[in-house]
């Protein structure tokens, strides 16, 4: 396109100039079509993920809302508006990568926490239920993981919890 515009009609001639301009418009439309094919599914999935939060938050009881606000106050800035999990009425709902997983505390057999402090606090939480083992990564601070384990044990005292992970 730049070469066509710099030479102009006088040097290239009318036919060659018009063919190049026409090809550049077709090329632009094809690139725009590919961009739409990539962006549209991403927007759909992000919208779906964001819509999961209001549905969960609107169904919270008053005590669950107070607990969410307490966790939210201790969470890092990037998790204040989209927390990793929400605890409500004997369940925990994890939000990750365009999906959410709800686990009943009464179904949990064991919780195993492994943590590291590489570039901030990161904890891998393994939740073993009767049917399946789930793995979630919680980033931010130890309070988020401690709150999850405390609420789980408070709701179901039979949960086996590795006690050596919590140094604080």
């Amino acid at each position: 396109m730049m070469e066509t515009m710099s030479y102009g009609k006088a040097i290239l001639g009318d036919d060659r100039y018009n063919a190049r301009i026409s090809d550049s418009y077709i090329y632009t439309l094809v690139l725009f079509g590919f961009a739409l094919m990539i962006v549209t599914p991403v927007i759909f999935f992000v919208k779906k993920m964001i819509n999961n939060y209001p549905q969960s938050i609107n169904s919270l009881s008053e005590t669950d809302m107070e607990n969410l606000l307490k966790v939210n106050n201790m969470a890092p800035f990037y998790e204040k508006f989209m927390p990793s999990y929400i605890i409500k009425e004997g369940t925990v709902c994890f939000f990750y990568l365009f999906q959410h997983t709800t686990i009943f505390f009464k179904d949990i057999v064991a919780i195993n926490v492994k943590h590291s402090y590489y570039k901030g606090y990161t904890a891998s939480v393994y939740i073993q239920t009767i049917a399946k083992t789930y793995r979630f990564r919680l980033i931010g601070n130890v309070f988020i993981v401690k709150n999850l384990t405390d609420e789980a044990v408070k709701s179901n005292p039979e949960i086996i919890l590795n006690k050596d992970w919590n140094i604080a």
Side-chain angles (χ1 to χ4, degrees), residues 84-95:
S84 299
Y85 66 87
I86 295 177
I87 296 174
K88 67 176 187 174
E89 301 170 1
T91 64
V92 60
C93 187
F94 287 94
F95 298 94

Side-chain angles (χ1 to χ4, degrees), residues 119-137:
K119 293 186 179 180
Y121 181 78
T122 303
S124 295
V125 179
Y126 298 89
I127 299 177
Q128 182 181 356
T129 63
I130 297 167
K132 186 177 178 182
T133 300
Y134 298 93
R135 179 182 173 268
F136 301 102
R137 179 158 293 184

Side-chain angles (χ1 to χ4, degrees), residues 51-67:
N51 285 340
N52 287 333
Y53 283 99
Q55 292 172 355
S56 295
I57 290 174
N58 289 336
S59 66
L60 292 177
S61 67
E62 194 169 317
T63 56
D64 291 334
M65 185 61 84
E66 289 172 3
N67 187 24

Side-chain angles (χ1 to χ4, degrees), residues 39-154:
V39 169
T40 303
V42 170
I43 290 172
F44 174 74
F45 285 120
V46 168
K47 184 177 178 186
K48 182 180 175 187
M49 185 178 109
I50 290 173
N51 285 340
N52 287 333
Y53 283 99
Q55 292 172 355
S56 295
I57 290 174
N58 289 336
S59 66
L60 292 177
S61 67
E62 194 169 317
T63 56
D64 291 334
M65 185 61 84
E66 289 172 3
N67 187 24
L68 178 62
L69 290 174
K70 181 177 74 168
V71 171
N72 198 18
N73 287 336
M74 299 298 288
F77 174 75
Y78 51 86
E79 286 224 356
K80 287 213 182 269
F81 304 105
M82 295 180 81
S84 299
Y85 66 87
I86 295 177
I87 296 174
K88 67 176 187 174
E89 301 170 1
T91 64
V92 60
C93 187
F94 287 94
F95 298 94
Y96 278 102
L97 294 177
F98 315 119
Q99 63 183 359
H100 68 282
T101 304
T102 302
I103 302 172
F104 290 94
F105 287 134
K106 64 179 177 146
D107 293 339
I108 297 175
V109 176
I111 298 176
N112 187 10
V113 180
K114 296 179 182 177
H115 62 102
S116 68
Y117 289 97
Y118 179 71
K119 293 186 179 180
Y121 181 78
T122 303
S124 295
V125 179
Y126 298 89
I127 299 177
Q128 182 181 356
T129 63
I130 297 167
K132 186 177 178 182
T133 300
Y134 298 93
R135 179 182 173 268
F136 301 102
R137 179 158 293 184
L138 299 177
I139 301 170
N141 58 27
V142 72
F143 176 77
I144 296 170
V145 180
K146 182 160 177 34
N147 180 58
L148 173 65
T149 56
D150 289 347
E151 289 292 325
V153 171
K154 184 169 70 172

